[in-house]
Amino acid sequence: MLIGKKQLLIGGEWRDASNGQTMPVINPATEDVIAEVASASREDVDAAVAAARAALSGPWGKLSARERGRLVYKLGERLMEQVDEVARLETLHNGKPITESRHIEIPMAAECLLYFAGWADKVGGDTIPVKGTALVYTLREPVGVVAAIVPWNFPLLLAMWKVAPALAMGNTVILKPASQTPLTALALGQLAIDVGFPPGVLNVITGSGGTTGQAIVEHPGIDKIAFTGDTSTGKGIMRTAAETLKHITLELGGKSPNIVFADADLDAAVRGATVGIFYGKGEVCAAGSRLLVDKAIKDQFIGKIAERTRKMVPGDPLDPKTRLGAISSKAQLERVLNYVDIAKREGGSLVAGGSRADIGTGKGYFMQPTVFADVTPAMTIAREEIFGPVLAAIDFVDVDEAIARANDTMYGLAAGVWTRDIKKAHYVASKLQAGTVWVNTYNVYDTAAPFGGYKQSGFGREMGRHAVDYYTQTKTVWVDLS
Ligand code: NAP
């Protein structure tokens, strides 16, 4: 399927990059080039910032909070009306199964807009009792121009975790999708025009991280960077953004532990552990990539996991029956296969998968879901984020060792705990250094529940009422009454 040429959305108008440059978009399931998108230059970033600033002090800034909320709500409704088309684009550029795009991720993206639309007119300031004769009150104001920089694994959903609260709180937005997956962000831009957003409120600029992304982070006209991506990229962004002292929120990598105690419902835990690592082909920041298993049940449990994993076969992402799609790019497939080689060399026991897969077309970046047993905490696959369908199983002997091993990582995004003992569940949840802990479930999200990292998985929270705080700033007003 050829989608053709796509332009930048700046100030409500579609235009080519100022230097005419474009970049290809590849379908990872077929290896075909499906689109050419504009590659924004520094001048284009300047133009997007100018448009976003003009909108802030123009019609957008003059809208009442309720009117703003209505527009954000309309955008959510329109996105849901277009769910089939947008989900198809998401699958085409990312390789994820259409069931995931159509029934989970694009509906969640739309719901995120509906949810934050409701907050638009419900965030207010306080009146503060102070010494002396003065009226002191606070105003909650937008931060200003927000740049959302997002990765390729959940392209539209992660964009919406930023765009929805930013718009609802009255900011204007420059959205930069990942180079590999720009199509759904561009589709969103058109929907924003269609539902009547004033020009410049939502700008979508495509281009490489090194040029377009860097120009955004350096730009003095941008007030906040909301970033999701790799931890090392996040550190670089933080360093660069320090020059202009931008607000930032960072949602970064993870190496999340999924802890299975011997007293758990083992069949449920097997399902949870496989969904925890293989949903989204393992290209999930919160993937339960470290399976911590009670030594008492280790062999039985790993046997069940391996059996279930061997039945999971990658397929055509556009087929509604497919549950495992294509790895997002050739480079990512090579990276994952390299980790498999490292794991073998370091002494891990391969119990399922481990190789590239062919779905019968001889094309596409498919990978067998893979499980390694006998992994020790020092091994590379226990420490580094693989971002692919590779599970590393590590054992433990008691609760204290489970907690120590779970926390033995620089990351702290998420964790899972499987047990029938309610006291143990809450105790372990309280000791885990992670922004989200799932008990007897894994990989569940809701727009109302905050999500974000501890440690080097980042800071700031997305979703829920917590997100609202990161898209507003507080002004204190003193009125002398003496
Ligand atoms: P990435 O390389 O850090 O890229 C993320 C985004 O940043 C892309 O749009 C990228 O553009 C851009 N970028 C790259 N270098 C930049 C720079 N110097 N300045 C500004 N922007 C720059 O991450 P990725 O490989 O796409 O995504 C995978 C990572 O994201 C994993 O580590 C994963 O754990 C993390 N992640 C975290 C969460 C979470 O919520 N914590 C969620 C999902 C993913 P290009 O595409 O052009 O390179």
Side-chain angles (χ1 to χ4, degrees):
M1 178 183 174
L2 192 62
I3 288 149
K5 205 166 163 237
K6 293 278 168 192
Q7 297 172 301
L8 311 170
L9 176 60
I10 297 176
E13 286 174 1
W14 293 103
R15 53 166 100 161
D16 290 334
S18 60
N19 56 13
Q21 284 195 1
T22 63
M23 53 188 194
V25 181
I26 294 168
N27 177 346
T30 62
E31 302 178 37
D32 293 332
V33 173
I34 51 172
E36 286 286 334
V37 299
S39 188
S41 64
R42 279 187 179 262
E43 288 69 37
D44 296 318
V45 173
D46 286 342
V49 174
R53 294 226 77 87
L56 207 54
S57 50
W60 181 243
K62 295 191 177 79
L63 278 188
S64 72
R66 193 156 303 158
E67 287 166 323
R68 216 167 56 214
R70 248 185 237 131
L71 261 184
V72 176
Y73 199 90
K74 258 190 179 172
L75 183 58
E77 285 185 319
R78 188 61 64 90
L79 176 58
M80 205 50 213
E81 283 161 24
Q82 303 288 319
V83 62
D84 288 326
E85 200 181 319
V86 179
R88 192 177 161 78
L89 288 177
E90 199 77 310
T91 285
L92 285 172
H93 63 187
N94 170 281
K96 60 177 70 226
I98 190 73
T99 32
E100 293 181 7
S101 316
R102 169 64 186 81
H103 298 291
I104 300 175
E105 293 164 28
I106 305 304
M108 278 174 79
E111 194 173 81
C112 189
L113 287 159
L114 304 182
Y115 173 83
F116 281 106
W119 276 108
D121 61 358
K122 292 169 195 70
V123 176
D126 302 307
T127 50
I128 322 257
V130 294
K131 279 190 300 197
T133 320
L135 167 66
V136 176
Y137 61 93
T138 57
L139 298 171
R140 296 283 292 276
E141 298 186 339
V143 176
V145 176
V146 172
I149 302 180
V150 293
W152 42 258
N153 58 336
F154 294 89
L156 193 66
L157 182 58
L158 294 179
M160 232 35 49
W161 288 5
K162 299 159 182 60
V163 171
L167 293 179
M169 292 302 112
N171 302 277
T172 55
V173 174
I174 297 171
L175 170 59
K176 192 207 95 62
S179 302
Q180 283 169 230
T181 54
L183 302 177
T184 43
L186 293 166
L188 182 85
Q190 184 59 49
L191 296 182
I193 295 175
D194 295 347
V195 300
F197 273 83
V201 175
L202 176 64
N203 306 277
V204 184
I205 57 174
T206 48
S208 74
T211 303
T212 313
Q214 187 73 18
I216 287 173
V217 180
E218 287 174 9
H219 207 293
I222 292 174
D223 302 291
K224 173 183 163 101
I225 305 286
F227 173 77
T228 297
D230 196 66
T231 293
S232 62
T233 316
K235 289 178 184 177
I237 285 178
M238 199 167 163
R239 276 191 290 269
T240 309
E243 282 303 312
T244 43
L245 220 68
K246 291 180 172 59
H247 296 231
I248 54 178
T249 39
L250 300 174
E251 301 287 355
L252 307 175
K255 191 73 197 176
S256 299
N258 204 355
I259 310 171
V260 182
F261 288 100
D263 61 8
D265 172 343
L266 294 190
D267 289 333
V270 167
R271 284 194 299 276
T274 44
V275 167
I277 184 65
F278 299 132
Y279 183 91
K281 311 157 266 166
E283 294 165 343
V284 179
C285 51
S289 52
R290 285 186 299 144
L291 177 67
L292 301 188
V293 195
D294 200 320
K295 206 166 191 166
I297 53 157
K298 188 184 96 175
D299 292 340
Q300 178 197 3
F301 194 77
I302 304 278
K304 281 175 183 262
I305 291 264
E307 191 189 330
R308 194 176 166 90
T309 301
R310 282 187 219 108
K311 288 186 192 143
M312 296 183 71
V313 182
D316 175 3
L318 287 173
D319 182 340
K321 293 195 288 299
T322 295
R323 293 293 174 271
L324 201 65
I327 301 296
S328 300
S329 66
K330 185 163 185 264
Q332 189 63 15
L333 176 65
E334 284 166 358
R335 186 181 134 97
V336 176
L337 289 169
N338 186 43
Y339 274 110
V340 170
D341 287 343
I342 293 172
K344 286 181 189 163
R345 276 204 305 277
E346 292 184 357
S349 310
L350 183 64
V351 295
S355 306
R356 186 174 181 163
D358 184 352
I359 63 163
T361 58
K363 290 273 186 187
Y365 312 126
F366 294 93
M367 163 98 196
Q368 294 173 336
T370 298
V371 180
F372 278 97
D374 303 318
V375 176
T376 62
M379 286 183 193
T380 306
I381 60 160
R383 308 208 72 79
E384 294 183 14
E385 182 178 46
I386 299 173
F387 224 51
V390 180
L391 183 64
I394 303 166
D395 58 35
F396 63 84
V397 291
D398 57 22
V399 171
D400 289 341
E401 190 174 53
I403 293 167
R405 292 200 158 172
N407 288 337
D408 179 19
T409 169
M410 70 173 192
Y411 295 112
L413 194 56
V417 183
W418 297 84
T419 176
R420 286 193 172 96
D421 179 340
I422 191 163
K423 203 167 152 184
K424 193 193 290 176
H426 287 293
Y427 175 73
V428 175
S430 75
K431 295 290 175 197
L432 291 171
Q433 293 158 1
T436 294
V437 178
W438 287 295
V439 177
N440 294 332
T441 184
Y442 205 91
N443 250 348
V444 285
Y445 303 86
D446 189 284
T447 308
F451 183 77
Y454 276 29
K455 302 197 283 187
Q456 293 194 33
S457 289
F459 50 78
R461 289 293 175 270
E462 301 200 293
M463 301 196 286
R465 72 179 163 75
H466 293 73
V468 161
D469 293 341
Y470 294 98
Y471 292 91
T472 55
Q473 51 190 345
T474 301
K475 179 182 281 172
T476 307
V477 182
W478 287 71
V479 184
D480 181 18
L481 300 180
S482 63

